[in-house]
Amino acid sequence: MSTHSTGAPSHETTELPLRARRILHPLRIWAFLLTGLMLLAAAFWAGTLVKAPSDVAVDNAQKSVPVTFPLSMKVVDRQLALKGTVVRGQTTAISPPAVPGAARQVVTKPGPAPGTEVAPGSFLGSVGGRPVFLLPDDVPFYRDLDVGDSGDDVVQLQKALQAMGFAAVTATGKFDAASRDAVKRIYSGDGLTAPDKPIFRAQEFAQIPGDRGVVASSAGLATLVTGTVPLLVLQTTPDVVTARATVVDADSLSAGGKVRLSVGDQSVESTVLSVGAFTDKAGASGEGPGKDITISVPPEGSAWLVPDKLVNVQGTTDPQPRLAVPLIAIQHDGAGSFIDIEQPASSPGTRPTSSSSTRSQAPTFQRVDISVTTQSSGWAAVESSIPLSVGQQVRVP
């Protein structure tokens, strides 16, 4: 007889609830999660370091990049080149007063030829038969004198006679025999006869500033001497060359300095006599503002330097290269002129930590006080408070 189920569940055929599957290797899962978190953090940090191109452009635009230029050897001394004019020195005309009893004031014996030097005691010529001699300009003669006359004018005349070489004369203030003999010798020295009485005739003597001069012109025989036609014209100061120089050129010149004067293939070395003060008035030939330079005319080798001659004025040496600074690098403040010299990126003996840190380090500059000695073509030679050398970088502000 078969057995049937009574409806009770059978243990062999009933399915039990599934148990959660066991996770294999849990540490690997945690390592994976941790690695992911670290990568996210690194990506975020890298993102803070990387800037957008627009941000980089803004940052660069705001940075001040110093511009520098190296010190160099340059020819900064300007080659002097001026135009000058020969100017005749000061002159004095000798026109003696009318000779008593002479109908006409004519030259009866010409004086020295042009170019002759004259000094106290020199014969200047004869007008109306009476000679004229040169006396020192400190003798206040105003009257005729003879033996026995006295006065301050006599004292000065006697001192002048002593200076002229008449040692026997004593400055007593009384015109004596020694004074008379000295005056006679002045006349006889030129083959002339002295007047009898009075022995000293005021109208036969003349004076010029500085006592000495050079004959510029001399009236010929039988020339009628008038107010406009003198017996002699004496040049009492030498010819000079005058030239207008710019302030820069004038600053390279000084009294006693040497220059070269030239006309065509003729030239001669000369000396600067003076450098005038600045003037904004036009020069004699229309030159612009500047300083007037006065240059001597040498007594030798300068016969071609005649008055009113236009001449070239040049330096006597060729300019040499000098350590120079660009003019645009020179700065000024209340303390004076200065330049900024770039300093080394690191001190001597100190090794940079990395090339990148050295490149990123902003350059530093040292102020160096200077004074400009000369300048040309955008460069200036300077005197500095510390030694400078070729190749040093100077900042251009």
Side-chain angles (χ1 to χ4, degrees):
M1 179 173 168
S2 61
T3 303
H4 298 278
S5 173
T6 58
S10 174
H11 292 284
E12 297 180 358
T13 59
T14 303
E15 296 182 1
L16 297 176
L18 296 176
R19 183 177 294 178
R21 182 176 292 179
R22 185 177 179 182
I23 299 176
L24 300 176
H25 308 294
L27 293 180
R28 293 182 180 180
I29 300 298
W30 284 111
F32 176 79
L33 292 176
L34 181 60
T35 301
L37 290 174
M38 291 178 65
L39 289 175
L40 288 175
F44 177 79
W45 177 76
T48 62
L49 298 179
V50 178
K51 293 186 177 181
S54 59
D55 293 336
V56 174
V58 171
D59 289 345
N60 290 338
Q62 294 175 344
K63 289 182 180 180
S64 176
V65 179
V67 178
T68 62
F69 208 90
L71 301 182
S72 305
M73 297 296 291
K74 297 286 184 180
V75 175
V76 293
D77 292 323
R78 295 183 57 179
Q79 181 63 41
L80 184 68
L82 307 177
K83 294 293 185 182
T85 304
V86 180
V87 178
R88 184 182 292 280
Q90 181 180 351
T91 58
T92 299
I94 304 298
S95 296
V99 177
R104 301 174 69 232
Q105 288 285 98
V106 296
V107 176
T108 53
K109 186 175 182 180
T116 304
E117 295 185 7
V118 296
S122 295
F123 169 70
L124 303 181
S126 293
V127 177
R130 297 309 308 165
V132 179
F133 297 94
L134 189 63
L135 269 187
D137 63 357
D138 61 353
V139 179
F141 67 92
Y142 62 94
R143 57 175 175 159
D144 296 341
L145 297 174
D146 210 341
V147 175
D149 291 331
S150 61
D152 293 336
D153 55 336
V154 175
V155 173
Q156 291 303 115
L157 176 59
Q158 289 172 328
K159 290 181 178 179
L161 292 172
Q162 287 178 329
M164 292 161 61
F166 302 109
V169 177
T170 303
T172 62
K174 184 175 181 179
F175 199 90
D176 52 16
S179 301
R180 177 197 61 199
D181 293 342
V183 172
K184 284 185 176 181
R185 289 177 59 187
I186 292 176
Y187 283 81
S188 62
D190 285 282
L192 302 171
T193 301
D196 187 15
K197 283 186 175 293
I199 184 66
F200 178 85
R201 295 185 179 182
Q203 66 183 23
E204 297 182 2
F205 291 88
Q207 295 170 310
I208 59 174
D211 298 341
R212 296 178 179 274
V214 177
V215 178
S217 65
S218 179
L221 183 65
T223 299
L224 182 63
V225 177
T226 65
T228 57
V229 181
L231 170 63
L232 282 179
V233 175
L234 298 177
Q235 184 174 326
T236 54
T237 60
D239 293 345
V240 295
V241 172
T242 60
R244 174 66 60 86
T246 65
V247 173
V248 173
D249 284 335
D251 287 346
S252 67
L253 299 171
S254 60
K258 298 298 182 180
V259 293
R260 180 160 293 277
L261 308 177
S262 65
V263 176
D265 58 354
Q266 296 176 307
S267 68
V268 65
E269 189 173 287
S270 190
T271 304
V272 176
L273 297 176
S274 65
V275 178
F278 174 80
T279 177
D280 57 2
K281 296 181 180 179
S285 301
E287 302 93 340
K291 298 181 180 181
D292 290 324
I293 312 300
T294 304
I295 304 163
S296 66
V297 173
E300 301 294 335
S302 60
W304 46 276
L305 289 174
V306 296
D308 300 325
K309 190 80 169 181
L310 297 178
V311 300
N312 299 312
V313 181
Q314 298 172 311
T316 56
T317 58
D318 294 330
Q320 300 297 317
R322 302 167 65 181
L323 185 65
V325 176
L327 282 175
I328 57 174
I330 299 177
Q331 305 178 63
H332 310 275
D333 61 12
S337 301
F338 66 95
I339 56 176
D340 287 332
I341 293 294
E342 184 176 352
Q343 298 300 294
S346 58
S347 302
T350 301
R351 184 175 181 178
T353 56
S354 67
S355 59
S356 59
S357 63
T358 301
R359 287 194 300 268
S360 63
Q361 190 176 29
T364 59
F365 295 88
Q366 177 185 2
R367 174 187 173 123
V368 178
D369 294 325
I370 62 167
S371 60
V372 176
T373 58
T374 185
Q375 60 183 6
S376 177
S377 303
W379 291 83
V382 300
E383 293 180 351
S384 57
S385 56
I386 64 172
L388 299 176
S389 59
V390 173
Q392 283 185 292
Q393 297 291 323
V394 57
R395 180 167 61 182
V396 178

